[in-house]
Amino acid sequence: MRATAVAQPNIALIKYWGKRDVTRNLPAVGSLSITLADLFTSMQIDLDRTAACDELTVNGIADSDMLPRLSACLDRVIGTDRAHARIVSRCNFPVAAGLASSASAFAAATVAAAAAAGKQYDPDRLASLAGQASGSAARSLYGGFVELRNTDDDIAVSTVLPASDWPLVVVVAITESGPKAVGSTAAMEISRKTSPFYASWVAQQDADLTVARNALQQRDFDKLADIAEHNCLKMHSVMWASRPPLVYWNAATMRCMETVRELRRAGCGVFFTIDAGPQVKAVCLPEHAPRVKDALSATIGVQDVTTTGLGDGARLVAQE
Ligand code: PMV
């Protein structure tokens, strides 16, 4: 049985950082994200009883680093008595560099694996399975503006506003294309155990989510900009104060933030957000996107700039 699914990465405006249950990969806080349109991962999963082991290629090259996490994801979705899988992944953007490649990869893998094995899961169960592979992957199952809520025992994910209701644009400034130094799972545990700011980060998250939700309902860009930048910088403050410190930025990251601040001072509808990597994502009103793109492209140290609108959730594209 073979199935292929496609998913896009998502960028959190109100971030997830820290786990309340490491074994089940349950987040300590809720989060709110936007799913992107033009960066994608496709996952083809071919279950073959004659295969001796799982195999993975990413853009045509064998990848043994990501394979154990994908095999574990397939075990959870299909069951450990499953056939081995030939997994063919294609991705049109740099992996493991703070561009949420794990979110799109595991969202696509979860959907493709369930279809290849003929399993029908209800949406919350599917979100839970994707979230166990990568916390942010659960959000890539949905399109537009997406909220991940903690329930008593698990997570629940839904679209809170479709992309067409507020078609914002994201300009991604790539400042470094290599993989990140510390993966997010290990880094979150370092923050939980050592950062003096971790407890207040967790305590304040619901209030930040409420402000962001209201900003979405009112389509209030400035309100969304203020809370998203605040939440991003608060997460990075938790990281910077961890021991060892978790500093994902480089000099160009800082310059991009300054470019965005200057644009905003000049009346441009734009704000920045940054994840566990050095790339800067500038979220803007569609009419200001060309100006944001030009300004970020001209910022010293920026290697590449990608512009994308908001897109759909993970979906099955082939099943045989
Ligand atoms: O899903 P993970 O384990 O890659 O963690 C994602 C963490 C951040 O990207 C920094 C924030 C977020 O909410 O996406």
Side-chain angles (χ1 to χ4, degrees):
M1 298 266 279
R2 187 194 326 193
T4 308
V6 168
Q8 285 104 246
N10 68 79
I11 305 294
L13 305 183
I14 303 296
K15 310 281 189 192
Y16 146 54
W17 194 252
K19 300 179 197 289
R20 73 180 199 273
D21 180 335
V22 176
T23 319
R24 294 177 61 207
N25 206 34
L26 291 176
V29 291
S31 53
L32 195 148
S33 60
I34 43 181
T35 303
L36 306 182
D38 299 329
L39 312 182
F40 69 85
T41 303
S42 119
M43 281 276 173
Q44 183 190 74
I45 296 184
D46 193 350
L47 296 172
D48 181 355
R49 285 270 168 215
T50 66
C53 58
D54 290 340
E55 285 167 21
L56 167 68
T57 61
V58 178
N59 293 336
I61 298 166
D63 184 330
S64 53
D65 292 346
M66 200 189 179
L67 184 58
R69 272 179 82 188
L70 265 174
S71 294
C73 173
L74 267 52
D75 286 349
R76 281 188 296 264
V77 175
I78 305 173
T80 46
D81 56 346
R82 65 180 171 85
H84 290 300
R86 290 201 186 83
I87 309 164
V88 177
S89 171
R90 302 212 162 267
C91 188
N92 70 344
F93 60 98
V95 296
L99 274 180
S101 57
S102 66
S104 51
F106 287 107
T110 303
V111 171
K119 301 256 182 199
Q120 307 279 347
Y121 288 114
D122 69 53
D124 283 349
R125 182 73 192 127
L126 204 64
S128 171
L129 288 164
Q132 283 178 63
S134 166
S136 54
R139 298 187 311 235
S140 275
L141 294 174
Y142 292 84
F145 296 81
V146 177
E147 183 169 359
L148 183 152
R149 283 172 292 114
N150 272 330
T151 59
D152 286 347
D153 189 42
D154 212 323
I155 55 166
V157 186
S158 59
T159 292
V160 286
L161 195 71
S164 54
D165 283 13
W166 204 13
L168 300 181
V169 171
V170 183
V171 181
V172 183
I174 311 272
T175 65
E176 217 174 284
S177 49
K180 60 190 165 201
V182 189
S184 54
T185 299
M188 284 182 201
E189 279 302 278
I190 294 173
S191 288
R192 185 179 65 81
K193 290 181 184 146
T194 67
S195 179
F197 304 147
Y198 183 78
S200 43
W201 156 255
V202 173
Q204 290 173 22
Q205 188 77 345
D206 283 347
D208 287 6
L209 281 165
T210 303
V211 175
R213 239 182 269 119
N214 289 340
L216 290 187
Q217 268 151 26
Q218 297 155 3
R219 315 285 193 276
D220 185 333
F221 189 85
D222 285 337
K223 195 178 195 176
L224 186 64
D226 286 346
I227 195 65
E229 287 191 356
H230 168 70
N231 188 267
C232 164
L233 293 175
K234 197 159 54 177
M235 178 185 78
H236 284 277
S237 305
V238 171
M239 294 169 169
W240 282 40
S242 300
R243 290 187 164 180
L246 302 157
V247 179
Y248 289 103
W249 303 356
N250 59 32
T253 312
M254 301 280 287
R255 283 192 212 103
C256 288
M257 289 162 71
E258 196 41 38
T259 297
V260 170
R261 284 196 193 102
E262 270 167 25
L263 285 165
R264 232 182 135 193
R265 278 195 291 268
C268 202
V270 61
F271 64 86
F272 63 77
T273 189
I274 306 160
D275 293 297
Q279 329 304 359
V280 177
K281 292 104 182 191
V283 181
C284 56
L285 292 169
E287 60 271 30
H288 295 151
R291 201 164 146 203
V292 172
K293 183 176 182 229
D294 288 350
L296 283 171
S297 302
T299 301
I300 295 167
V302 171
Q303 296 177 356
D304 199 6
V305 168
T306 302
T307 303
T308 169
L310 308 190
D312 296 328
R315 63 223 168 261
L316 199 59
V317 293
Q319 191 173 18
E320 294 159 35

